[in-house]
Amino acid sequence: MKIVVVGLGVIGGSFTMALKEAGYDDVCGIDINKETLEKAIKLGLIKEGFTSGEEIVKSADLIIISLYPRLVKQFIADNKDNFKDGAVITDATGIKKMFIEDIVNILPDNIDFVFGHPMAGREKKGIDFATSQVFKGANYILTPVDRNKEENLKLIEDIVYRIGFKRVRRITPEYHDEMIGFTSQLPHALAVALVNSDVEGRDTGSFIGDSYRDLTRIANINEDLWSELFLGNKENLLISIQDFENELDKIKHGIENNDKECLKELFIKSTKRREKL
Amino acid sequence: MKIVVVGLGVIGGSFTMALKEAGYDDVCGIDINKETLEKAIKLGLIKEGFTSGEEIVKSADLIIISLYPRLVKQFIADNKDNFKDGAVITDATGIKKMFIEDIVNILPDNIDFVFGHPMAGREKKGIDFATSQVFKGANYILTPVDRNKEENLKLIEDIVYRIGFKRVRRITPEYHDEMIGFTSQLPHALAVALVNSDVEGRDTGSFIGDSYRDLTRIANINEDLWSELFLGNKENLLISIQDFENELDKIKHGIENNDKECLKELFIKSTKRREKL
């Protein structure tokens, strides 16, 4: 099976490493950055590197795309006449519903796109931060669509387990986006707002403990990727933000009214929920 | 020097451990829980244990109080006729301005209370989770008041360095509360609101990665302590919440208006600020 990984950033690079370790030896890479391709070849992660799809895509059985959402669409549009008949494509995009609709509109009929989301990542970008370790024990989500063939869903599931993921679940794109809006996008929005709400010029660094450090780690954020993810899931994210604000208001009112019992109830609720995780 | 630690919970217990390791061998403990006192004696952390202050406080040169804010006031009121002339008292309370005003009102003139805040803690409570390690390399804050004697401020600074803290700063109670409202209390409020805003019955556990885990760790919160801390610093905390909400609104409006450039600017700002920490 000839595999092509498109986009050798931190996730695509990690895919090539994990595939190599799992014994897949016919893996090529596509990246617009020639230095990145050279690094990947030097590390033995890919057999050959290409700066565009035209040539290599024609012989690929499986294409793993790790690009920003907008660029995935672009790649499909650019290569729609190049894909091998019956080729399987998968992705690592963190949003699904709107994204899938866009892709399905331009995808040739003889190509099967299995939409996936590895629940693993790093704040850093680029192949230098790629590591197969990030996949070990993590969750993987597939969001099947009607046109997917069962054998191709199974193919991706099989590879995903081989490269170290612990659990693969199939859910609807709608449920994926609802949950990711809450568990991933909302925390990123809160971390950004927390850091940005600091008053300029204060000696904040001298007053931070683990709590501020933990809550703001993901405020170090890839602006190109996350602006696309936020806008590609806007309705769910806005609902999550609203739900969050309602809960923060309860705390605020508890403080304003000197209502200790109210605060204690909110803290007991959050403690119980957090312990269950 | 005879030292008495009042309240052998996670912080008070850690004080007894750190004092022992630093070579202080005349340390006694006060706690309402007899089992806790027995544990502390068994571990060799205190010479003797008492369930109230009356007797032991009379001979104490230094008293370290690690109780909830309300109980610190109660302890001072209960023992105001027991303290040794010239005794030094210090505390570990996470709020200062209102708290100090309350204490100074009831404190005998011949007693010097040096107000302090070890910037170290754990989510767990009780002596079983005490460890001197939590102090190693951490920051310590002193908030001197006019009546403090310089020699007593120096005494506390000296002990604090000996038991493992890396840096001791002297600041005003007002500045302490402003900064702690932002770096400690606001993150706790956000973590609680985030966990409580989850929709009941969803399979959230299957969709969490490091970001949700990191942002909600401190939603596991001691409700008695933190309700007192929030209400004891209400003005600063409400300002921090308001500043935070203004920043979250900017993100919300960026999403509502499909304004990618606005979102990118906010993310670039938070990334720069986070990297500086």
Side-chain angles (χ1 to χ4, degrees):
Chain A
M1 183 172 56
K2 189 173 192 67
I3 302 177
V4 172
V5 177
V6 186
L8 300 180
V10 65
I11 295 297
S14 299
F15 265 109
T16 60
M17 284 180 196
L19 287 166
K20 185 190 176 190
E21 287 170 19
Y24 295 93
D25 59 2
D26 192 4
V27 178
C28 288
I30 299 176
D31 200 285
I32 50 166
N33 186 324
K34 281 189 185 170
E35 259 182 70
T36 297
L37 293 171
E38 280 160 23
K39 275 184 196 167
I41 291 172
K42 218 170 160 183
L43 291 165
L45 303 177
I46 57 172
K47 276 168 64 175
E48 239 182 314
F50 302 84
T51 52
S52 76
E54 283 150 317
E55 191 185 338
I56 184 66
V57 148
K58 287 177 180 139
S59 59
D61 302 298
L62 170 64
I63 300 170
I64 300 171
I65 309 181
S66 296
L67 297 172
Y68 297 161
R70 188 174 46 83
L71 296 176
V72 179
K73 295 175 212 165
Q74 192 62 51
F75 183 84
I76 300 295
D78 289 349
N79 289 285
K80 63 180 192 300
D81 300 325
N82 300 330
F83 296 120
K84 184 176 168 180
D85 185 42
V88 178
I89 304 180
T90 193
D91 68 323
T93 316
I95 46 172
K96 291 299 173 212
K97 188 167 181 295
M98 280 169 60
F99 173 75
I100 290 174
E101 284 165 9
D102 288 346
I103 295 286
V104 167
N105 273 334
I106 54 172
L107 194 70
D109 289 337
N110 61 336
I111 306 301
D112 202 12
F113 200 129
V114 174
F115 296 93
H117 182 191
M119 300 280 291
R122 303 191 68 181
E123 298 89 69
K124 306 284 186 174
K125 52 185 177 181
I127 194 166
D128 293 334
F129 296 98
T131 162
S132 60
Q133 287 308 310
V134 79
F135 295 159
K136 303 295 180 224
N139 290 313
Y140 211 98
I141 296 171
L142 294 183
T143 54
V145 291
D146 287 345
R147 55 185 279 175
N148 285 146
K149 290 185 183 154
E150 178 59 29
E151 65 193 78
N152 292 331
L153 290 164
K154 288 223 172 90
L155 170 77
I156 301 299
E157 278 172 349
D158 179 51
I159 293 175
V160 158
Y161 281 123
R162 282 172 194 252
I163 64 175
F165 285 87
K166 187 187 61 186
R167 186 171 175 217
V168 189
R169 294 186 68 197
R170 296 185 189 186
I171 57 172
T172 65
E174 290 78 8
Y175 189 53
H176 170 276
D177 286 357
E178 180 193 326
M179 292 309 302
I180 290 302
F182 176 68
T183 62
S184 171
Q185 296 180 334
L186 176 60
H188 280 80
L190 303 184
V192 168
L194 173 56
V195 167
N196 286 350
S197 75
D198 192 6
V199 177
E200 198 83 55
R202 288 200 295 204
D203 178 24
T204 308
S206 302
F207 295 89
I208 62 174
D210 288 341
S211 55
Y212 189 80
R213 218 182 312 273
D214 280 358
L215 261 85
T216 59
R217 187 180 55 84
I218 54 175
N220 188 332
I221 187 170
N222 176 333
E223 71 271 12
D224 292 307
L225 175 60
W226 283 88
S227 57
E228 286 193 33
L229 296 177
F230 274 27
L231 296 179
N233 193 24
K234 62 183 284 188
E235 278 165 41
N236 285 304
L237 180 52
L238 287 172
I239 291 171
S240 284
I241 291 177
Q242 187 57 57
D243 290 347
F244 169 84
E245 286 178 331
N246 293 346
E247 286 297 328
L248 188 58
D249 277 346
K250 290 183 194 169
I251 297 175
K252 213 164 70 171
H253 295 147
I255 300 168
E256 283 165 345
N257 302 327
N258 287 310
D259 189 343
K260 196 169 171 180
E261 288 312 308
C262 158
L263 291 176
K264 282 170 74 170
E265 271 173 39
L266 295 171
F267 296 164
I268 289 168
K269 181 177 174 184
S270 70
T271 298
K272 276 192 196 146
R273 285 182 166 209
R274 185 58 177 81
E275 280 174 349
K276 261 209 265 175
L277 283 185
Chain B
M1 183 173 54
K2 188 172 196 65
I3 302 177
V4 172
V5 177
V6 186
L8 300 179
V10 66
I11 295 298
S14 299
F15 265 110
T16 60
M17 285 182 196
L19 287 167
K20 184 190 177 188
E21 287 170 20
Y24 294 92
D25 58 3
D26 191 4
V27 178
C28 288
I30 300 176
D31 200 284
I32 50 165
N33 187 323
K34 280 187 185 172
E35 259 181 69
T36 297
L37 292 171
E38 281 160 22
K39 275 184 197 168
I41 291 171
K42 218 171 161 183
L43 290 165
L45 302 177
I46 57 172
K47 277 168 62 176
E48 239 183 313
F50 302 84
T51 52
S52 76
E54 283 151 316
E55 189 186 338
I56 184 66
V57 148
K58 287 178 181 141
S59 59
D61 301 298
L62 170 63
I63 300 170
I64 300 172
I65 309 181
S66 297
L67 298 172
Y68 298 161
R70 187 174 46 84
L71 296 176
V72 179
K73 293 174 214 165
Q74 192 62 51
F75 184 84
I76 299 295
D78 289 348
N79 289 284
K80 62 180 194 300
D81 299 326
N82 300 329
F83 297 119
K84 183 176 167 180
D85 183 43
V88 178
I89 305 179
T90 192
D91 68 325
T93 316
I95 48 172
K96 291 298 173 214
K97 187 168 181 297
M98 279 169 60
F99 173 76
I100 289 174
E101 284 165 8
D102 287 346
I103 295 287
V104 167
N105 274 333
I106 54 173
L107 194 71
D109 288 338
N110 61 337
I111 305 301
D112 202 13
F113 199 130
V114 174
F115 296 92
H117 182 191
M119 300 281 290
R122 302 191 70 182
E123 298 89 68
K124 307 284 187 175
K125 53 184 176 182
I127 194 167
D128 294 334
F129 297 98
T131 162
S132 61
Q133 287 308 310
V134 79
F135 295 160
K136 304 294 179 222
N139 289 314
Y140 211 99
I141 296 171
L142 294 182
T143 54
V145 291
D146 287 345
R147 55 186 278 176
N148 285 146
K149 290 185 183 153
E150 178 59 30
E151 66 194 76
N152 292 333
L153 290 164
K154 287 222 172 92
L155 170 76
I156 301 299
E157 278 172 349
D158 180 51
I159 293 174
V160 158
Y161 281 122
R162 282 172 194 253
I163 63 174
F165 285 88
K166 189 187 61 186
R167 187 172 174 217
V168 189
R169 294 184 69 195
R170 296 185 188 187
I171 59 174
T172 65
E174 290 78 7
Y175 189 54
H176 170 275
D177 286 357
E178 178 193 327
M179 292 309 302
I180 290 301
F182 176 67
T183 62
S184 172
Q185 297 181 334
L186 176 61
H188 281 80
L190 303 184
V192 168
L194 174 55
V195 167
N196 285 351
S197 75
D198 192 5
V199 177
E200 198 83 52
R202 289 200 296 204
D203 178 24
T204 308
S206 302
F207 295 89
I208 63 175
D210 288 342
S211 55
Y212 189 81
R213 219 181 311 273
D214 281 358
L215 262 85
T216 59
R217 186 179 56 83
I218 54 174
N220 189 331
I221 186 170
N222 175 334
E223 70 271 11
D224 292 308
L225 175 59
W226 284 88
S227 56
E228 287 193 33
L229 295 177
F230 274 27
L231 295 179
N233 192 25
K234 61 183 287 188
E235 277 165 45
N236 285 303
L237 180 51
L238 287 173
I239 290 171
S240 284
I241 291 177
Q242 187 57 56
D243 290 347
F244 168 83
E245 286 178 331
N246 294 344
E247 286 297 327
L248 189 58
D249 277 345
K250 290 183 193 167
I251 297 175
K252 212 163 72 170
H253 296 147
I255 300 169
E256 282 166 346
N257 302 326
N258 286 309
D259 189 344
K260 196 169 171 178
E261 287 312 307
C262 158
L263 291 177
K264 282 170 72 170
E265 271 172 39
L266 296 170
F267 296 163
I268 290 168
K269 182 177 174 185
S270 71
T271 298
K272 274 191 198 147
R273 285 182 165 208
R274 185 58 177 82
E275 280 174 349
K276 259 207 266 176
L277 283 184

